[in-house]
Amino acid sequence: MRRPARMLAVAGLASVAVFAAACSSGGSTPDPAPAAKITLADSTAKPINPTTPISVRASRGDLTTVTVTNRKGKTVKGTSSEGGEEWHTTEDLGYGTTYTVKADAVNPDGKHTRQTFTVKTIDPDDTAYANVVPAPEVVSEDGIGVGQPMVFQFTKPIKNRAEVEKHLVVTTTPSQPGAWYWTDDQSVHYRAKDYWKPGTKIHIEANVYGVDLGDGVYGAEDNAVDYKVHDSWVAKADGNTEQLTVFHNGELVRTMPMSLGEPTTPSHRGVHVVSERSASTVMDSCSYGVCQGDPGYYRETVFDNLRISNDGEFVHAAPWSVGQQGSANVSHGCVNLSPADAKWMYDTFRLGDVVEISNSGGDELPVWDTYGDWAVPWKVWKAGNASA
């Protein structure tokens, strides 16, 4: 008696199934989104320059995390851009180092893709530093004189000099035109057409880290320094009048009798720049080959010294020649002054101040002799010699 009831129940289930099918949309299930893809912007097939950022990109998704670590596990700083599709390092890498890059990206369906890369940097044969002259700590209190060239002195000879110059920066306030010139294969100098204006602020940079300096040598690090030019102090030593006249900001403030180099050891002509100050110095002729027992040998402690060339030329006290000062040239190339006048010069002049020597009978100060920069005509200097 109950079988018909059971059959109705089954039929009722069938009706529900038909009704449910009639209410469906009839469409297919959407395909899953493709997995995100992670790539490096640059090929890792060969070592990269340490100044080249490691750049990670995601396609078909966004980056969620990226870490770059060196062999010691130190993390390299980086930042994201383009809405999370790109990430790149924001600090320089090291030479000859292997970096591990781990990246995670997620596609629109929330599926993660993780990938690890290895990046190596170039390993130079050698590196060189770009040191500045004068050292900033030496002139931090007094500033520099109007004749002071800006100098980067490299610790290794530079072959790719034209390439290096592209990475040297000078900013002067107020603006004054200037140019770089190589005085030897390790030293590049910058000066203006004329002396710096008093009060000028000078900022110099050698952005040479990662730069190929030539012959397998790369820049060891960048260097940047600020200088300020103090008042103008220019002394003029005239071999005809045997007088040293001193000008402060263009105004004559002192005239002193002096003695330049005698005919056999004449002082160099031209612009000299104070490069060193010493209250006392032992001057020994053996330093240039005239030693004890030779005619003309001397060894003397000299006071209040202003070095104006590496060829042994100074402005200094010379009590032994006071009788000839103002009337005859009797020194070994220096500017001889009385003790009182030498003390005044020593107390007044600082690094970068100028001593112009004329009518000395000597050759012009060579460009390679410390700061013989001003011997080169501006037209020649401005043209540069990086490719010479």
Side-chain angles (χ1 to χ4, degrees):
M1 295 295 293
R2 295 180 178 178
R3 288 187 63 168
R6 184 170 181 175
M7 291 179 63
L8 287 172
V10 173
L13 289 173
S15 299
V16 172
V18 171
F19 177 76
C23 291
S24 69
S25 64
S28 60
T29 302
D31 293 334
K37 182 179 180 182
I38 302 172
T39 58
L40 289 180
D42 294 300
S43 170
T44 59
K46 61 180 182 178
I48 64 172
N49 191 290
T51 62
T52 301
I54 295 176
S55 181
V56 182
R57 298 192 66 86
S59 57
R60 303 194 297 265
D62 293 324
L63 294 166
T64 58
T65 60
V66 179
T67 59
V68 177
T69 54
N70 64 14
R71 286 175 292 196
K72 296 181 179 180
K74 181 181 178 181
T75 301
V76 181
K77 295 177 182 178
T79 188
S80 297
S81 62
E82 299 183 21
E85 294 181 1
E86 191 267 349
W87 183 98
H88 61 272
T89 53
T90 55
E91 61 179 314
D92 288 336
L93 308 176
Y95 285 120
T97 302
T98 299
Y99 292 88
T100 300
V101 182
K102 293 184 178 181
D104 180 283
V106 62
N107 72 353
D109 288 344
K111 181 180 179 180
H112 287 262
T113 298
R114 297 176 178 86
Q115 195 156 351
T116 299
F117 304 91
T118 297
V119 176
K120 294 183 178 181
T121 56
I122 57 175
D123 190 9
D125 294 338
D126 206 345
T127 58
Y129 292 87
N131 297 324
V132 291
V133 181
E137 62 271 16
V138 174
V139 295
S140 60
E141 183 175 347
D142 297 323
I144 58 173
V146 296
Q148 178 68 57
M150 302 295 98
V151 178
F152 279 117
Q153 193 172 70
F154 289 85
T155 55
K156 296 286 191 306
I158 304 303
K159 182 178 180 181
N160 296 342
R161 297 188 297 185
E163 179 62 27
V164 168
E165 281 191 30
K166 297 176 183 177
H167 300 272
L168 304 180
V169 178
V170 178
T171 305
T172 58
T173 307
S175 179
Q176 293 156 74
W180 292 101
Y181 194 90
W182 293 82
T183 59
D184 56 49
D185 61 1
Q186 290 183 226
S187 303
V188 60
H189 292 208
Y190 184 95
R191 72 166 176 86
K193 179 181 179 181
D194 303 305
Y195 299 148
W196 301 115
K197 297 176 182 178
T200 297
K201 294 179 180 179
I202 304 173
H203 176 80
I204 63 173
E205 299 177 12
N207 300 316
V208 295
Y209 181 69
V211 175
D212 183 358
L213 309 181
D215 291 334
V217 179
Y218 279 72
E221 64 181 15
D222 296 337
N223 200 358
V225 174
D226 292 291
Y227 295 104
K228 185 174 181 180
V229 180
H230 56 233
D231 283 1
S232 172
W233 286 98
V234 178
K236 298 184 179 184
D238 189 335
N240 285 342
T241 64
E242 308 295 346
Q243 300 292 311
L244 182 71
T245 52
V246 179
F247 296 82
H248 176 221
N249 291 334
E251 297 293 327
L252 177 64
V253 295
R254 194 175 179 102
T255 299
M256 297 168 274
M258 54 112 202
S259 179
L260 295 177
E262 61 186 358
T264 56
T265 55
S267 306
H268 282 110
R269 290 181 293 105
V271 176
H272 296 61
V273 176
V274 176
S275 60
E276 180 186 328
R277 300 170 70 252
S278 59
S280 66
T281 299
V282 176
M283 295 190 180
D284 191 339
S285 63
C286 199
S287 64
Y288 58 86
V290 180
C291 298
Q292 190 169 8
D294 297 333
Y297 168 75
Y298 64 86
R299 180 181 172 84
E300 187 84 30
T301 299
V302 181
F303 298 95
D304 297 323
N305 305 279
L306 301 174
R307 179 184 286 276
I308 56 175
S309 85
N310 269 356
D311 197 27
E313 294 176 318
F314 292 81
V315 178
H316 65 75
W320 59 86
S321 70
V322 169
Q324 289 85 25
Q325 291 167 20
S327 60
N329 291 326
V330 297
S331 81
H332 291 90
C334 294
V335 180
N336 283 1
L337 296 173
S338 71
D341 287 338
K343 182 67 165 57
W344 184 90
M345 284 288 293
Y346 182 79
D347 290 343
T348 304
F349 274 54
R350 295 292 185 268
L351 270 59
D353 290 335
V354 176
V355 177
E356 299 176 355
I357 298 178
S358 61
N359 303 312
S360 65
D363 294 332
E364 193 161 39
L365 184 67
V367 65
W368 46 261
D369 191 338
T370 315
Y371 301 129
D373 306 45
W374 300 98
V376 180
W378 173 244
K379 183 177 181 180
V380 176
W381 185 280
K382 184 179 180 181
N385 63 343
S387 301

